[in-house]
Amino acid sequence: MNKNDNKNGKEFFELLSDLDEDIVEGAWEEKGGMITTIDRRGPMNIVREIAAAAAAVCVLTVGIFAVMKFHTTQSAEPNESNKTSSEIISSNNSVSLTESVVVNNPEPTKESGFFSFSIEGRDDLYYGISGEIYNSDWENPAVVKITYGSLSPTRRVYLCVTGDANWPEDHIMTDVVMVDSITGCKLTYNDDYGETLPVYLLAMTGDDGVGFEGYWVP
Amino acid sequence: MDDNEIVQLFRDRNEAALSVTEKKHGRRCRTVAENILGNREDAEECVNEAYMKLWELIPPHCPEALGAFLCRIVRNTAINVLKARNAGKRGRGTAAVAFEELEECIPDKSSVEHIYENKELLAAVNKFLRQSSIESRRIFVLRYWYCCDLSEIAERFGTRKNTVSVILNRTRKRLRKYLEEEGYEL
């Protein structure tokens, strides 16, 4: 069968005509089931908000990073380990994805409540980045921490959660957050639907458009 | 006027039934037709044709949910129009994209012709939707029954288009898995 003609899809679409009437009626009329807890700020809204402020917004997350500090004994720059943690929201005008790099070591470390990852980087942009994703449960924000490697001082890396590994940029589910090379970043994501399917971590750079994605285990 | 009273007007062969129906369900009918056909004029014709059919069908039919009953007529009429003009060759409208997405849910692509005739498949889909969360069910039906585009659904739910897309993607995967578990050779 020629896949391009979507014959099966058409037939299935026709078949659906005979769905139970109460289901059909309910989908149109029901008022319940509104999605209320997903963060509704899209990346572009954030960009606009931040552009107006002309500065990154810093939010203290001392409690979270007290935990992080405990785990980050391999910090690339130990002399900066006392810096205040911050969440920096993207202020870049355009974030692009042109290349994917597989994140290694996606297995969670159950004992510690986080799992580590490393990225085979491009030497001209970054080198040997590794880090940890703290994700003890879905009700709390996940924290991504880059603990080793080098980012260009002028290089911005953004992270977000996406629901689809094949078309990650079309399924971004959270804010796009800029990674601070010292303190990492915080991504807020609540899975309202109790799904067990994986979501993916997507990283992007705004300059030369290098992206990578990682596996995020719920 | 509630649907039972409107149905009674049809049964009494009172032509006011048509104008009352149009007032109450017309917008939804036009939405369905336009979503499928992607053309306002064709959609208008389609809805008018559906009213004629409704007039012929009641009586003897006595639908419990007049809106859904009428929309089903509209939907089937629109699908026939779509077939007639071979719209698949005229670009990617909402319906064409919906067809493509639904391909993912079809268990065995080579045996669709066979299972299409099998009402059990439809029963399984109904059962699956009843077991799904209210959000998933509504979004699935709005997308694949009413043929709404993602933006429209997102607006209804007060969320983002991407979120709707992800929910649909997950629902399709779950449906496929469910059908496999129900014994369809996938």
Side-chain angles (χ1 to χ4, degrees):
Chain A
M1 182 177 290
N2 178 6
K3 189 177 178 183
N4 293 329
D5 65 8
N6 297 318
K7 185 170 183 289
N8 295 301
K10 287 178 189 171
E11 291 182 353
F12 195 57
F13 184 82
E14 286 186 49
L15 176 69
L16 292 180
S17 279
D18 289 329
L19 275 182
D20 288 351
E21 286 181 355
D22 62 318
I23 291 177
V24 172
E25 192 74 13
W28 189 265
E29 299 291 347
E30 279 179 86
K31 303 297 181 193
M34 303 302 281
I35 300 169
T36 56
T37 54
I38 283 180
D39 190 337
R40 295 173 188 169
R41 292 183 305 163
M44 291 313 295
N45 287 337
I46 293 170
V47 167
R48 281 192 286 274
E49 289 169 22
I50 302 305
V57 177
C58 294
V59 180
L60 293 178
T61 53
V62 175
I64 292 169
F65 285 96
V67 177
M68 289 177 60
K69 189 179 171 183
F70 175 76
H71 290 293
T72 54
T73 55
Q74 296 178 12
S75 173
E77 296 171 287
N79 59 325
E80 294 180 296
S81 62
N82 292 328
K83 284 193 173 183
T84 305
S85 304
S86 63
E87 174 189 336
I88 303 174
I89 299 172
S90 168
S91 61
N92 193 40
N93 287 326
S94 64
V95 179
S96 59
L97 172 71
T98 58
E99 181 182 338
S100 293
V101 180
V102 175
V103 173
N104 300 314
N105 307 322
E107 294 301 319
T109 307
K110 292 179 182 175
E111 295 78 11
S112 58
F114 65 90
F115 65 94
S116 60
F117 65 91
S118 62
I119 302 159
E120 297 297 329
R122 272 174 45 174
D123 291 352
D124 55 332
L125 298 176
Y126 48 76
Y127 176 75
I129 293 173
S130 62
E132 297 144 346
I133 300 176
Y134 297 80
N135 186 29
S136 57
D137 62 67
W138 285 105
E139 293 181 356
N140 292 317
V143 177
V144 180
K145 170 72 175 175
I146 292 179
T147 55
Y148 175 78
S150 59
L151 286 172
S152 163
T154 58
R155 183 72 58 196
R156 292 172 178 172
V157 174
Y158 303 89
L159 290 175
C160 63
V161 171
T162 178
D164 192 313
N166 296 320
W167 295 279
E169 62 271 38
D170 291 337
H171 298 88
I172 293 172
M173 301 173 76
T174 63
D175 294 341
V176 178
V177 180
M178 193 171 84
V179 180
D180 184 297
S181 62
I182 304 302
T183 59
C185 65
K186 183 178 77 172
L187 286 170
T188 303
Y189 170 68
N190 293 313
D191 192 330
D192 301 347
Y193 309 100
E195 302 284 0
T196 56
L197 294 172
V199 292
Y200 299 85
L201 185 66
L202 173 70
M204 296 166 278
T205 63
D207 298 322
D208 292 339
V210 174
F212 54 87
E213 64 183 70
Y215 188 65
W216 190 350
V217 182
Chain B
M1 185 176 287
D2 70 27
D3 282 354
N4 289 334
E5 292 172 302
I6 298 174
V7 169
Q8 191 54 52
L9 288 178
F10 277 101
R11 293 174 71 85
D12 295 341
R13 310 315 289 163
N14 184 338
E15 290 184 6
L18 290 169
S19 58
V20 177
T21 302
E22 158 64 21
K23 189 175 179 183
K24 186 168 183 183
H25 299 295
R27 189 178 74 84
R28 179 167 29 153
C29 291
R30 279 189 292 278
T31 300
V32 174
E34 199 169 331
N35 285 346
I36 293 173
L37 296 172
N39 178 300
R40 185 163 293 178
E41 288 74 27
D42 287 353
E44 201 65 42
E45 278 185 33
C46 175
V47 171
N48 288 335
E49 191 177 330
Y51 286 142
M52 295 294 289
K53 287 178 183 171
L54 186 68
W55 180 256
E56 291 165 6
L57 287 170
I58 307 175
H61 287 273
C62 187
E64 289 182 10
L66 179 65
F69 186 80
L70 174 59
C71 280
R72 175 182 295 166
I73 297 171
V74 171
R75 191 178 191 272
N76 288 335
T77 305
I79 289 171
N80 288 336
V81 171
L82 199 66
K83 281 179 181 173
R85 74 184 190 195
N86 198 11
K89 294 179 179 175
R90 298 188 183 184
R92 282 166 55 89
T94 304
V97 176
F99 297 158
E100 197 173 296
E101 290 172 0
L102 282 172
E103 290 274 348
E104 297 174 21
C105 304
I106 306 298
D108 180 359
K109 295 188 176 190
S110 64
S111 64
V112 164
E113 289 82 355
H114 171 67
I115 60 176
Y116 173 63
E117 297 299 327
N118 191 345
K119 291 292 181 188
E120 286 180 7
L121 174 62
L122 184 66
V125 176
N126 274 316
K127 191 175 174 187
F128 167 80
L129 290 173
R130 289 187 190 286
Q131 291 173 355
S132 299
S133 71
I134 190 169
E135 294 92 350
S136 300
R137 181 172 66 243
R138 286 191 65 201
I139 289 173
F140 185 90
V141 174
L142 286 170
R143 177 66 173 163
Y144 301 119
W145 204 97
Y146 289 100
C147 216
C148 295
D149 68 26
L150 298 181
S151 305
E152 186 181 344
I153 299 171
E155 191 177 337
R156 274 173 173 262
F157 281 81
T159 190
R160 292 186 307 215
K161 195 171 138 183
N162 285 335
T163 304
V164 172
S165 174
V166 169
I167 293 168
L168 279 170
N169 188 33
R170 290 177 169 184
T171 306
R172 289 195 302 269
K173 285 178 182 170
R174 278 206 309 271
L175 174 57
R176 183 184 174 94
K177 186 168 178 250
Y178 177 82
L179 292 175
E180 285 175 340
E181 289 170 355
E182 286 293 299
Y184 289 95
E185 291 297 327
L186 313 184

